[in-house]
Amino acid sequence: MVSARVIRNLKSEFKTSALAKIGLALVVGIILVATFAPFIAPHNPTEQRLPESELPPIGFTDTNEKTSSEMVDGEIQTVTETEVIRADSDYVLGTDGLGRDMLSRIIYGARTSLAVGVLGTLLAAVIGVPVGMYAGYHRGRIDDTLMRIADVSLAFPSLVLAVALIGLWGRAAIRVPDPFVVTGMVSDMPEFFVLPITVVIVVGLVNWVWFARVARGEAMSLRSQEYVKAARALGASDNRIILSHVLPNAITPIIVLGTVQVAAIILLESALSFLGFSGTTLSWGFDISQGRDYISSGQWWIASIPGLAIMLSVIGINLLGDWLRDALDPGIQGEGGAA
Amino acid sequence: MSFGRFVFTRSLQGLGVIWGVITVVFALRFVTPGDPINAVAPLDATQETRRAIAAELGLDQPLYIQYGQYLFDLMVGDMGFSYIKGQEVTGLVFARVPATVELAVTATIVAIALSIPLGVISATRRNEPVDYGATLFSLAGISTPNFWLGIMMILILAVEFGIFHTSGRETDLGDVVISVVGPEPFISTLASWLKYITLPSIALGTYFMALITRLTRSGMLDELGKAYVTASRAKGIPETLVRYKHVLRNTLIPVITVLGLQLGTLIGGAVITEAVFSWPGLGTLVIQSINLRDWPVLQGSLIVIGTSFVLVNILVDTVYAYLDPQVVYD
């Protein structure tokens, strides 16, 4: 478990590594933004203001060519006027095609990414860790069966399997009341957070295998340790040994894998929303798919900005994962699973 | 265990996994909400019509017969008929395979060709600007959504500067090969192909480029610290030989394992890259079949994707066993 040595390693690694500091700052920042979104967002992220649509971010301008026809001396003349669209200081990152504030959408999008990333990873771990522990501890036929199931599961790319399952099951979402809005601390913000529950379940189901593999490997190497043998000699049941001796000693690599998985699932969620397989429209991936229609007409920011948000979050989590790995367990390499 | 026996055992094992893949795909039709007949029958179909359709598709048979029939049909290459297009699924799916293979292979080659030298340089010039650049690049590369990267490249290189096409695949690798002997001029065919393939293969390959750079760098650093390197240097073996003949070879072994495991990521990445670039491959077929609820086409595509994953992994393991003879004796 978390011993004094572990904490010491974490601290010393943190002090020497600039990247670890950047990673932690990014992750803490995103968690704060996601949690307090209603306070931070300058506008309601779903409110449409058509007259203020397609405004560029501050510091940029956009042009709009208007063609009109007039009758001059009995002839039709076509007049092309170039209208310059300036940024509005009310909308720091500009607005999208429906006049929704980009900054507010980015802030609220962090909630979806983080919620799906964390819940999906937890689900994958809850399925994968017990199965892997049990198989690795007992070996034999159970283990063989598990490994074959894992092989079959790995034969389907996560994204393909996720898309297929969501296509079959539909795009269900749960509306979770936003405590800040419901209690009246903030007004004019969405009353509900829409959690795309099918996406959470599916990403958990397609990623459990990574946890099962790591847990199995750990259980296999721990089962022949002296203290496990001692516990067995004292008459402890297998389940008790797994729970109180094997699992606590295997927790470090599982945590490191979990961190990498949150990043991988955030990327997977954004891909699913981009393809239209999500239950919410407040998501970075969804905004990129909307912005895609505007890249040939010059409104570059609608697709670009959400992508930067994804990139920064995933970089942050990956750096955090590197830090944990280097500090906790220099021997392992976690490179499992991605979109 | 001899090398031949290893390959044989591994192939048998792979066959078992393919059987598992087929079984999972067969089971998929039962997780569909409602009766599978709903997907085919018109909404206002009478009970009579529904029963007729069920009989026609064999859906009125007991489960084990349906399953046996499914396995048998697959063995003779019959994946059923598309609900929507009324064509044979086998033909529809295999027509899409070359485009996806072309994209995936090009992306992999580009990724490997650039990342291994980059990883080596990064490791041998540790803590120099080149190393920081490579580390930063690989961190960004594994953290960037490939579909977004694709859109950004379309925005800048295709829309703004007009260097590449925004989408499609009008010229394929086959055309390039034919133009060597055929009437079409080779250079312009090649240029046309490059205009289509470049952006999608970079979008798809960047993640792997970043991943392999990272793995090569850390692997090289590990190996360079080992005793045999010191011994080789002490013996007076030229540094180039030490690095490339001994160290790099040992570094590549774990790189190959990870590549095999990440093959699923490559195919998954191809699905979304195809969606961004309207690339007419298996990925676009998968998405289309889901949106149209054309389950036989989805099932056929999944079987082809799963099976090729297993086959390529057998190949990877074979190469692995060849490079590292210890594997065979495990």
Side-chain angles (χ1 to χ4, degrees):
Chain A
M1 283 306 269
V2 185
S3 63
R5 184 183 60 85
V6 167
I7 295 184
R8 207 167 47 238
N9 281 350
L10 276 173
K11 276 187 185 163
S12 74
E13 185 70 31
F14 188 75
K15 270 182 200 148
T16 52
S17 163
L19 290 176
K21 288 178 192 131
I22 298 173
L24 190 69
L26 280 171
V27 171
V28 169
I30 291 156
I31 293 173
L32 289 178
V33 164
T35 313
F36 299 108
F39 296 101
I40 305 167
H43 299 274
N44 183 328
T46 55
E47 193 191 322
Q48 305 179 1
R49 297 165 211 84
L50 288 177
E52 279 153 27
S53 66
E54 299 174 29
L55 293 178
I58 286 187
F60 296 92
T61 52
D62 190 23
T63 51
N64 190 12
E65 296 204 338
K66 270 189 184 167
T67 321
S68 54
S69 305
E70 281 176 42
M71 287 284 272
V72 180
D73 301 332
E75 276 181 56
I76 299 175
Q77 284 195 338
T78 314
V79 186
T80 308
E81 274 179 74
T82 306
E83 180 194 4
V84 176
I85 300 168
R86 287 180 205 290
D88 184 327
S89 59
D90 243 14
Y91 306 103
V92 176
L93 294 180
T95 56
D96 70 3
L98 297 170
R100 295 174 296 197
D101 179 39
M102 290 291 298
L103 177 60
S104 305
R105 291 188 70 77
I106 298 291
I107 290 170
Y108 266 85
R111 283 189 160 187
T112 308
S113 284
L114 217 55
V116 174
V118 171
L119 294 176
T121 303
L122 283 178
L123 180 63
V126 163
I127 304 169
V129 172
V131 174
M133 285 270 142
Y134 195 80
Y137 182 81
H138 287 283
R139 302 300 311 265
R141 196 173 290 164
I142 301 168
D143 187 36
D144 286 341
T145 315
L146 168 82
M147 287 325 284
R148 293 293 84 79
I149 293 174
D151 284 345
V152 173
S153 181
L154 282 175
F156 299 104
S158 326
L159 180 69
V160 176
L161 195 57
V163 162
L165 289 176
I166 296 172
L168 291 165
W169 290 343
R171 282 143 242 211
I174 295 177
R175 303 208 306 168
V176 185
D178 187 322
F180 301 124
V181 181
V182 171
T183 53
M185 291 166 79
V186 202
S187 56
D188 297 334
M189 286 291 163
E191 277 179 44
F192 295 98
F193 165 64
V194 180
L195 178 71
I197 191 70
T198 316
V199 175
V200 171
I201 294 171
V202 164
V203 296
L205 286 182
V206 300
N207 279 316
W208 69 275
V209 134
W210 300 103
F211 284 96
R213 286 168 76 105
V214 169
R216 171 181 177 267
E218 289 298 312
M220 260 163 62
S221 70
L222 290 170
R223 68 198 283 260
S224 49
Q225 293 282 324
E226 293 296 326
Y227 56 83
V228 172
K229 286 183 188 158
R232 205 177 293 139
L234 284 170
S237 73
D238 285 338
N239 289 345
R240 190 187 156 86
I241 294 176
I242 293 179
L243 212 60
S244 52
H245 297 288
V246 180
L247 182 62
N249 287 295
I251 206 80
T252 313
I254 292 171
I255 289 175
V256 175
L257 174 70
T259 321
V260 181
Q261 282 291 314
V262 173
I265 290 180
I266 287 181
L267 284 176
L268 183 57
E269 186 277 331
S270 72
L272 289 170
S273 324
F274 174 76
L275 291 171
F277 290 91
S278 176
T280 177
T281 53
L282 254 182
S283 152
W284 294 333
F286 179 82
D287 281 355
I288 295 176
S289 78
Q290 301 285 300
R292 189 187 170 189
D293 299 336
Y294 291 89
I295 55 171
S296 49
S297 55
Q299 289 80 26
W300 52 268
W301 59 93
I302 306 176
S304 314
I305 295 171
L308 290 175
I310 298 174
M311 206 171 141
L312 279 180
S313 334
V314 176
I315 286 181
I317 298 168
N318 278 331
L319 286 176
L320 196 73
D322 285 353
W323 167 45
L324 293 178
R325 189 186 59 208
D326 291 345
L328 302 178
D329 197 333
I332 58 160
Q333 289 205 329
E335 298 287 0
Chain B
M1 206 192 282
S2 72
F3 181 69
R5 208 184 142 80
F6 170 80
V7 175
F8 178 73
T9 323
R10 185 65 189 78
S11 305
L12 269 188
Q13 217 179 15
L15 219 58
V17 179
I18 291 175
W19 172 64
V21 165
I22 293 169
T23 308
V24 168
V25 170
F26 173 78
L28 268 186
R29 74 163 81 160
F30 301 103
V31 298
T32 322
D35 198 329
I37 300 169
N38 290 346
V40 216
L43 284 175
D44 55 352
T46 59
Q47 280 304 317
E48 287 293 284
T49 329
R50 292 173 65 89
R51 236 171 273 139
I53 291 172
E56 165 106 20
L57 294 173
L59 293 171
D60 56 346
Q61 301 283 336
L63 205 55
Y64 65 93
I65 300 216
Q66 285 189 42
Y67 180 60
Q69 185 69 41
Y70 193 71
L71 284 181
F72 178 78
D73 286 348
L74 278 178
M75 258 184 275
V76 296
D78 177 4
M79 297 184 178
F81 276 87
S82 156
Y83 292 162
I84 311 291
K85 293 180 182 156
Q87 282 170 297
E88 276 191 48
V89 172
T90 314
L92 275 173
V93 171
F94 280 96
R96 298 298 193 105
V97 169
T100 301
V101 171
E102 182 182 302
L103 175 61
V105 171
T106 316
T108 311
I109 292 175
V110 173
I112 293 178
L114 295 175
S115 59
I116 291 182
L118 194 58
V120 172
I121 295 169
S122 186
T124 49
R125 301 198 174 180
R126 200 178 180 186
N127 294 334
E128 288 179 31
V130 148
D131 183 27
Y132 290 128
T135 308
L136 204 67
F137 159 78
S138 49
L139 179 66
I142 60 164
S143 309
T144 308
N146 51 8
F147 61 93
W148 178 73
L149 183 66
I151 291 174
M152 291 301 104
M153 287 193 298
I154 293 176
L155 175 68
I156 297 165
L157 298 173
V159 174
E160 203 61 38
F161 292 103
I163 305 171
F164 300 102
H165 293 304
T166 54
S167 63
R169 178 180 178 253
E170 302 292 322
T171 312
D172 60 40
L173 192 56
D175 297 333
V176 179
V177 174
I178 292 168
S179 74
V180 176
V181 286
E184 298 286 325
F186 171 70
I187 296 293
S188 63
T189 316
L190 181 70
S192 164
W193 177 65
L194 287 174
K195 281 188 174 183
Y196 287 109
I197 190 90
T198 306
L199 297 188
S201 54
I202 295 177
L204 179 57
T206 299
Y207 174 81
F208 295 93
M209 218 191 299
L211 187 69
I212 303 169
T213 307
R214 239 165 114 102
L215 288 174
T216 311
R217 178 180 180 272
S218 62
M220 282 284 281
L221 287 177
D222 273 357
E223 290 291 324
L224 281 171
K226 287 193 177 161
Y228 75 89
V229 176
T230 319
S232 314
R233 282 177 182 154
K235 266 166 63 182
I237 296 177
E239 184 65 23
T240 332
L241 219 60
V242 175
R243 274 184 200 165
Y244 298 103
K245 189 161 175 225
H246 302 291
V247 173
L248 185 59
R249 191 181 157 124
N250 284 331
T251 305
L252 288 185
I253 293 169
V255 171
I256 290 171
T257 326
V258 175
L259 276 186
L261 275 176
Q262 293 284 333
L263 190 74
T265 315
L266 179 74
I267 303 175
V271 170
I272 196 155
T273 309
E274 287 180 8
V276 170
F277 290 94
S278 313
W279 191 262
L282 268 180
T284 34
L285 189 67
V286 166
I287 307 281
Q288 236 176 49
S289 63
I290 292 169
N291 286 334
L292 296 171
R293 315 203 137 250
D294 198 350
W295 306 132
V297 175
L298 175 64
Q299 288 181 316
S301 314
L302 287 178
I303 288 177
V304 170
I305 289 172
T307 307
S308 32
F309 176 87
V310 176
L311 293 179
V312 177
N313 258 298
I314 295 175
L315 193 71
V316 168
D317 284 352
T318 310
V319 174
Y320 191 92
Y322 178 77
L323 281 178
D324 183 6
Q326 285 177 28
V327 173
V328 177
Y329 299 105
D330 265 358

